[in-house]
Amino acid sequence: MGQEDRSSVTYGVFKESTQQESRVALTPDIAVRLKRSHVSCLIESDAGISAGFSDDDFRQAGVQVVSKEEIIATAQAFGFVERPSADLIAMLPAGSWVLGMLGSFTDEGYTAALQDAGLVGIAMERLPRQLSAAQSMDEMTSQNSVMGYKSVLVAAQEYGSFLPMMTTAAGTIRPAKVLVLGAGIAGLQAIGTAKRLGAVVTAYDVRPASREEVESLGAKFLDLDVDFSAGQGQGGYARQLTEEEQQAQQRAVDEKAAQFDIVITTAKVPGRKPPVLLSKAGVEGLHRGAVIVDCAASDLGGNVEGSAPGMTVTAGGVKVIGNADLASGVATTASMLLSRNLADTLAHFVSEGGALQMDLSRELDDALVISGRKEGRD
Ligand code: NAD
């Protein structure tokens, strides 16, 4: 029996439906990997084009390139970069599995919609990231790393001067001063990237443990003169600050941010609205030509008051860029990473006999399965 004959779970990936999304949830190398886990793959024609993968690349990896309708009719599990729309949910067969960032912390209605449709929802945002078995499934880490890297490139592109110090015959240009707010996965990647480009980097995070990480990358830790010594919450994440703490922090950040040329914000608290670190007044305090990239900007709001996806320019000439799919801007590698994250998550649920199965007594399953919490179909 050939390897293909033994594959008994069929995994389908569609072309992402929003125009600004260039990533794809499956890459050819990962399809080969999935075959070894008894999973065969279907992909919609042209799904990988904007990420740099042609239909032929997929065919050579043993993936069947088919229509959206055929995927819906054949696959038992579906992987997504962006969660499926309500229209697509209505088309997917009951009992099938949906893997992606499902927004379950902030959108209970969506989880209910999956449940009502009889779909098994695997919410990548709920991964218990501290488990060693979960490391290769950690989409949040992989995509936030890409985002942190890209945020600096976007800022450098918009900034009207050099990031490194530059000595020219016409004079010496001082290096750009970059402030990174939030020094988690994205923030540390932003610090490293800005350092490599020659900027002078300062960073801040509410978790006391982050000081050492910031300094080990050669950046300076920003002292806000406000005590958040209890800023660390459960599982190594930040806790949500109280209203008074947030206000004190915002005042301090507003004041200190004025001296920087570029501000990158990446502060988040899992499952909550991102904290506003920089108020409108703080933004207006930056000099003309300064650039702010708000990586936390989303439908829930961001770290910068008034930031919105895309770029806005204030009356004072400060450019404020809201996270408009920063990870999608590094589409090839971002897709390879997230494709691996999704594939390893899917493979976790494929039984020895090649069927989709959950076992809610396992910590990973219990955390990830948000709807259809029962035995999966074969
Ligand atoms: P995240 O995206 O939820 O938050 C980004 C950063 O924002 C965090 O560092 C957080 O402390 C910071 N932040 C939150 N509120 C803030 C505020 N008011 N002011 C300033 N900063 C604020 O988190 P993340 O980047 O995914 O990871 C956060 C932590 O979790 C890190 O320590 C990371 O090492 C850890 N982590 C561990 C694992 C693992 O165990 N495998 C995996 C991923 C992340």
Side-chain angles (χ1 to χ4, degrees):
M1 189 192 276
Q3 200 170 14
E4 204 163 314
D5 302 320
R6 290 205 314 270
S7 299
S8 38
V9 171
T10 307
Y11 179 51
V13 164
F14 302 105
K15 189 171 168 57
E16 288 294 316
S17 56
T18 57
Q19 219 179 1
Q20 65 271 23
E21 184 53 76
S22 299
R23 290 168 294 175
V24 61
L26 178 69
T27 54
D29 55 333
I30 299 300
V32 172
R33 189 183 167 84
L34 274 171
K35 202 171 247 187
R36 293 198 288 269
S37 301
H38 305 279
V39 176
S40 57
C41 297
L42 303 178
I43 197 157
E44 185 178 351
S45 183
D46 273 353
I49 283 293
S50 51
F53 304 101
S54 69
D55 287 354
D56 270 347
D57 293 333
F58 282 106
R59 284 191 196 98
Q60 276 164 26
V63 179
Q64 286 185 57
V65 180
V66 294
S67 67
K68 181 176 179 178
E69 292 69 28
E70 203 167 334
I71 295 175
I72 293 172
T74 317
Q76 289 120 31
F78 305 90
F80 295 90
V81 177
E82 293 182 3
R83 65 186 193 175
S85 65
D87 287 349
L88 186 52
I89 288 177
M91 287 186 242
L92 298 178
S96 51
W97 293 45
V98 171
L99 288 84
M101 288 283 183
L102 301 179
S104 62
F105 284 121
T106 47
D107 190 351
E108 284 172 17
Y110 191 83
T111 306
L114 291 174
Q115 180 72 31
D116 291 348
L119 297 171
V120 177
I122 305 298
M124 298 298 284
E125 68 276 13
R126 291 198 175 249
L127 189 80
R129 299 160 86 196
Q130 72 287 355
L131 294 185
S132 57
Q135 302 302 303
S136 67
M137 306 174 194
D138 192 348
E139 182 179 336
M140 208 140 42
T141 289
S142 76
Q143 301 306 293
N144 282 353
S145 299
V146 178
M147 178 176 71
Y149 164 80
K150 185 69 177 180
S151 67
V152 176
L153 301 190
V154 167
Q157 174 80 20
E158 290 302 330
Y159 183 53
S161 186
F162 298 126
L163 264 67
M165 186 175 90
M166 203 71 91
T167 303
T168 75
T172 297
I173 313 297
R174 70 163 176 84
K177 287 189 271 182
V178 173
L179 174 63
V180 177
L181 296 170
I185 303 295
L188 292 175
Q189 198 58 247
I191 293 169
T193 307
K195 287 287 297 176
R196 287 193 287 273
L197 287 173
V200 175
V201 185
T202 303
Y204 169 74
D205 196 292
V206 75
R207 289 178 297 110
S210 69
R211 175 186 287 268
E212 209 178 297
E213 289 164 353
V214 165
E215 290 175 349
S216 74
L217 288 174
K220 192 169 166 250
F221 194 82
L222 182 72
D223 275 312
L224 281 191
D225 309 321
V226 189
D227 180 20
F228 298 123
S229 47
Q232 187 135 329
Q234 279 184 339
Y237 289 105
R239 67 169 169 86
Q240 198 179 25
L241 301 182
T242 64
E243 192 59 39
E244 294 85 69
E245 284 174 328
Q246 266 200 46
Q247 282 174 11
Q249 184 186 55
Q250 203 182 83
R251 277 195 301 275
V253 171
D254 280 355
E255 189 196 317
K256 303 263 180 177
Q259 56 186 291
F260 291 91
D261 304 306
I262 292 174
V263 180
I264 311 265
T265 66
T266 72
K268 287 186 190 161
V269 179
R272 307 251 178 195
K273 190 176 169 317
V276 179
L277 303 181
L278 202 55
S279 73
K280 192 163 175 287
V283 172
E284 285 165 0
L286 269 73
H287 66 79
R288 180 171 288 277
V291 180
I292 301 172
V293 180
D294 184 357
C295 295
S298 69
D299 295 344
L300 293 175
N303 292 148
V304 179
E305 192 178 1
S307 74
M311 184 164 80
T312 47
V313 182
T314 66
V318 177
K319 295 174 179 173
V320 183
I321 300 164
N323 175 8
D325 308 295
L326 286 166
S328 174
V330 191
T332 305
T333 295
S335 300
M336 288 165 75
L337 297 171
L338 94 85
S339 165
R340 167 81 192 265
N341 301 144
L342 288 169
D344 281 15
T345 307
L346 178 66
H348 166 79
F349 287 103
V350 178
S351 70
E352 289 275 310
L356 279 169
Q357 266 175 16
M358 67 181 84
D359 172 357
L360 296 175
S361 68
R362 296 188 297 196
E363 188 176 354
L364 263 175
D365 302 36
D366 189 37
L368 288 170
V369 184
I370 58 161
S371 64
R373 287 170 67 90
K374 55 181 169 16
E375 289 299 296
R377 70 179 193 182
D378 285 351

